Amino acid sequence: MLDAGRAGESRPLEAFERRQDQGLQALRRDLVVLTALTAVAPLLGLLGTVVGMIETFEAVSTVGGTTGSRVASGISQALITTQFGLIVAVPGVFGVANLRRLLGHVETRVADCRMPLVAWLERPQRGVPS
């Protein structure tokens, strides 16, 4: 940004805003990915629950000596996948909320620095011919 502003390629404010947008877009993109992963976790847990319950009902519907162990296995699968989905989703929700708050702070700090930095870049250089 310093070189672009001083070399006359663009005005310092435009260079600053371009760099600002590039940096903040990368952070927002990563936040969207984390938000999606957090939202998907309970759905995957629910899918595992449904699969486990299907196995449980199949075990109940069949006649044989291993019905009890098959029912227990299906219920175990259902509960473990539900638990995993919640273990990922609950902290994820709080983590994403915290990251959104921090991103807001970054945006505010960058906005606070914009005008003083641009003014410094646009000041006339001493000892440098125009």
Side-chain angles (χ1 to χ4, degrees):
M1 184 183 80
L2 293 172
D3 294 336
R6 289 187 177 152
E9 294 174 16
S10 64
R11 294 181 352 149
L13 180 59
E14 292 167 358
F16 182 90
E17 289 175 350
R18 186 173 52 254
R19 298 300 190 289
Q20 172 189 343
D21 289 342
Q22 289 171 348
L24 292 176
Q25 281 178 355
L27 292 174
R28 288 185 193 114
R29 182 183 59 244
D30 293 344
L31 190 59
V32 167
V33 170
L34 289 174
T35 302
L37 291 174
T38 300
V40 167
L43 298 175
L44 291 175
L46 180 61
L47 177 62
T49 302
V50 171
V51 170
M53 294 309 295
I54 289 171
E55 286 184 21
T56 301
F57 292 134
E58 285 177 359
V60 170
S61 69
T62 61
V63 177
T66 62
T67 303
S69 64
R70 290 181 60 208
V71 167
S73 174
I75 291 174
S76 174
Q77 179 182 354
L79 294 176
I80 288 171
T81 56
T82 302
Q83 179 185 23
F84 179 75
L86 293 174
I87 285 172
V88 171
V90 171
V93 168
F94 290 108
V96 166
N98 189 40
L99 289 174
R100 286 187 194 277
R101 184 182 59 82
L102 291 174
L103 180 60
H105 288 309
V106 167
E107 290 172 340
T108 301
R109 297 250 177 166
V110 168
D112 290 345
C113 294
R114 178 182 14 236
M115 293 318 293
L117 180 60
V118 169
W120 181 80
L121 289 171
E122 290 179 338
R123 77 187 192 298
Q125 298 295 315
R126 293 184 185 154
V128 177
S130 300

